[in-house]
Amino acid sequence: MEEETAGVRTLLGNPKKAIIMMAIPIAIANIVQSTNNIIDAVWVAGLGTAALAATGVLFPYFFILIGIGNGIGVGASQAIARRIGAKDKEGADRVAAQAFFLTLVAGLIISVLYLIALEPLLAATGAGDYLDECVAYGAPLLGSGVVVVFCSMFSGLLRAEGAAKRAMITQLLGAVLNIIFDPIFIYVLDMGVAGAAWATILSMVLSIWLAFYWYIIKKDTFIRIPMRGFRFNGELIKDILKVGAPASLEMILISLCAMATNVIVLIVDAENGVAIFTTGWRILDLLMIPAMSIGFALVPIGAAALGARDFDKMKVAYKYALKVSVGLSLVMMLLTLVIAPLMVAMFTYNDDVSHLEKDLTTFLRMCCVFLPFMAFGFPSASMFQALGKGLQSLCSALVMNLLRIPLCYIAAITVGTMSALCCGLIASEIGGSMVTFLWCIIVLRKLFAENKAVEQ
């Protein structure tokens, strides 16, 4: 196999060190990206409640684009890392090429579909009186969906070869540029909420260019993307999609449930509910990043161990991922309970939205309780993906999200308060996470027992 890069040596080395070495840059990138999303909302909040709500209503649709790119990236990451573990460099390169062109086709299709059905989709999923603002923000953002999909896919490819720092750099570049572009497009160029969308797309285009430069022009990555004579390969696409398709569907499911939750929120508070829920969830997304980053790091590490048939390494990696994930999430929960008002303050500086402060603080302090429980779920779902069991990961997400809808709906029509709605959210997140964890333990025990029997 071609000379190993530092990233590949990390991937194939000590699993505990690999988890930390990969999770830290992933976490930094995701924190900056989530902070960027929050800053987006902070700048937009200056335009009023309608513009702030519009960004929240559009976020699930945007998340679907991220989900498609992330799904292909995760599927390719598992397939590539498994081949790296098995010392099959040529096979890993061929998977990367399939992932590149698959992303291009998928991104173009979803962008066109979004543009065709934008207004009726938004009207059906909580836009309400904010439809004009939602369309102004959504048209450029979703119409350029192929850009969003490529950003997520390239991150997956870089993580597959252990190059988490490079994945971080691309995401940092996009986030920092967006932070710079936001006030210019929104206020200086007087583009309003549409300016926030164009700022996001331009920043992503520039971050994609950096990844493209490494892979196609400079060619200094371990994995190559062979373009000449490319043809789609059914077997390789199947290998990517056996993990990638369930991963994409999982994120799409999360987005659809978020849209449904927006509609349920309108039952409780038609005036302010969507702004409270979507803004609060942005902050919770930021707080979940440590556990999510551990999970992202675990996928290529576990897949490489699977390719090398090193089950002891896989066991050590999973146990360590759980330990670190739960510990960090407990810290996030305690931090939120103490400083929730400070977290909320950045969104309520405008007189038009200052009345949301109390309810938003209550929302955060209630919902942060599920964070330590979700810390069991993220690494477990990632271990399913590392094993090539994308369907199990999808099913665990189904449990969590399908619980949310009836529980929140019952809370909305019986009690009819945002606090009751929070209880429904908490119960579904805890229940789904623990089911995922217990299921993963069962699957791993069976796998290890089968391997031990073969060795004997």
Side-chain angles (χ1 to χ4, degrees):
M1 189 165 68
E2 188 173 311
E3 185 179 351
E4 294 177 351
T5 61
V8 170
R9 288 193 292 271
T10 297
L11 186 69
L12 301 178
N14 183 295
K16 292 183 179 181
K17 182 180 178 181
I19 289 286
I20 299 301
M21 292 291 290
M22 290 188 64
I24 288 175
I26 291 171
I28 291 171
N30 285 333
I31 287 170
V32 173
Q33 187 60 55
S34 289
T35 302
N36 170 46
N37 291 336
I38 289 174
I39 291 174
D40 237 9
V42 170
W43 283 115
V44 170
L47 299 172
T49 302
L52 182 61
T55 63
V57 170
L58 262 298
F59 184 75
Y61 293 100
F62 182 66
F63 196 66
I64 287 174
L65 292 170
I66 294 174
I68 292 171
N70 183 71
I72 297 173
V74 167
S77 178
Q78 195 274 345
I80 290 169
R82 197 174 73 246
R83 284 168 172 79
I84 290 175
K87 310 299 182 183
D88 180 11
K89 169 70 167 58
E90 183 181 349
D93 289 347
R94 291 172 63 210
V95 171
Q98 297 294 316
F100 181 91
F101 286 100
L102 185 61
T103 301
L104 178 63
V105 172
L108 289 173
I109 290 173
I110 191 67
S111 297
V112 171
L113 291 177
Y114 267 149
L115 286 176
I116 291 172
L118 185 61
E119 284 199 32
L121 281 175
L122 295 175
T125 53
D129 295 335
Y130 312 136
L131 182 60
D132 289 343
E133 288 81 3
C134 288
V135 171
Y137 182 68
L141 189 69
L142 303 184
S144 305
V146 66
V147 174
V148 183
V149 173
F150 260 112
C151 272
S152 298
M153 186 279 297
F154 270 127
S155 292
L157 288 190
L158 289 165
R159 289 196 299 268
E161 60 178 83
K165 287 184 180 178
R166 280 192 160 182
M168 175 188 72
I169 290 170
T170 60
Q171 289 178 277
L172 286 179
L173 175 64
V176 171
L177 288 175
N178 191 43
I179 290 170
I180 295 171
F181 292 155
D182 260 342
I184 296 173
F185 279 71
I186 295 171
Y187 296 107
V188 176
L189 298 179
D190 197 26
M191 296 175 68
V193 71
W198 284 116
T200 298
I201 294 303
L202 178 58
S203 62
M204 284 186 166
V205 167
L206 295 175
S207 70
I208 289 172
W209 169 250
L210 179 59
F212 191 83
Y213 171 74
W214 286 330
Y215 276 109
I216 308 300
I217 300 175
K218 193 176 183 182
K219 296 183 179 179
D220 66 343
T221 53
F222 179 74
I223 297 298
R224 300 285 190 267
I225 304 178
M227 299 284 192
R228 186 173 298 175
F230 173 82
R231 291 182 180 179
F232 281 111
N233 182 299
E235 287 300 314
L236 292 180
I237 289 177
K238 182 179 178 181
D239 198 13
I240 293 171
L241 293 183
K242 73 177 182 181
V243 172
S248 289
L249 288 172
E250 184 177 328
M251 297 188 78
I252 291 170
L253 172 68
I254 292 170
S255 298
L256 293 175
C257 286
M259 295 173 198
T261 307
N262 284 344
V263 175
I264 295 172
V265 168
L266 290 173
I267 299 173
V268 176
D269 185 350
E271 183 177 356
N272 300 313
V274 171
I276 293 169
F277 172 72
T278 56
T279 304
W281 204 258
R282 283 177 187 268
I283 300 173
L284 289 169
D285 276 336
L286 183 61
L287 298 171
M288 287 186 274
I289 282 175
M292 291 175 65
S293 300
I294 297 294
F296 280 129
L298 185 59
V299 175
I301 294 168
L306 179 66
R309 307 300 292 175
D310 191 342
F311 294 98
D312 287 337
K313 180 178 177 180
M314 188 184 298
K315 185 187 298 183
V316 170
Y318 177 60
K319 286 184 176 180
Y320 188 69
L322 284 174
K323 179 180 177 181
V324 176
S325 178
V326 172
L328 291 174
S329 295
L330 278 169
V331 172
M332 294 295 103
M333 182 190 75
L334 295 173
L335 190 66
T336 305
L337 291 172
V338 175
I339 66 167
L342 293 178
M343 296 176 176
V344 167
M346 71 180 86
F347 297 97
T348 55
Y349 66 91
N350 188 299
D351 290 341
D352 189 37
V353 293
S354 59
H355 62 285
L356 303 178
E357 182 177 357
K358 182 180 177 181
D359 288 338
L360 194 47
T361 300
T362 300
F363 179 91
L364 279 181
R365 282 181 166 158
M366 289 186 68
C367 289
C368 73
V369 172
F370 66 64
L371 294 176
F373 296 93
M374 290 197 76
F376 285 92
F378 284 128
S380 299
S382 294
M383 182 52 75
F384 280 140
Q385 293 172 343
L387 295 173
K389 297 182 181 295
L391 187 59
Q392 282 85 339
S393 179
L394 174 61
C395 289
S396 64
L398 275 170
V399 172
M400 184 184 303
N401 287 278
L402 293 183
L403 272 175
R404 178 195 291 186
I405 302 304
L407 289 176
C408 289
Y409 182 71
I410 291 170
I413 63 174
T414 55
V415 183
T417 65
M418 287 298 293
S419 293
L421 204 67
C422 286
C423 290
L425 286 171
I426 293 167
S428 63
E429 299 294 338
I430 291 176
S433 296
M434 298 315 294
V435 166
T436 304
F437 168 65
L438 294 173
W439 192 6
C440 186
I441 293 295
I442 293 169
V443 169
L444 286 175
R445 284 180 177 174
K446 182 179 179 181
L447 177 66
F448 296 151
E450 289 173 351
N451 180 65
K452 189 173 182 181
V454 170
E455 290 178 346
Q456 292 175 347

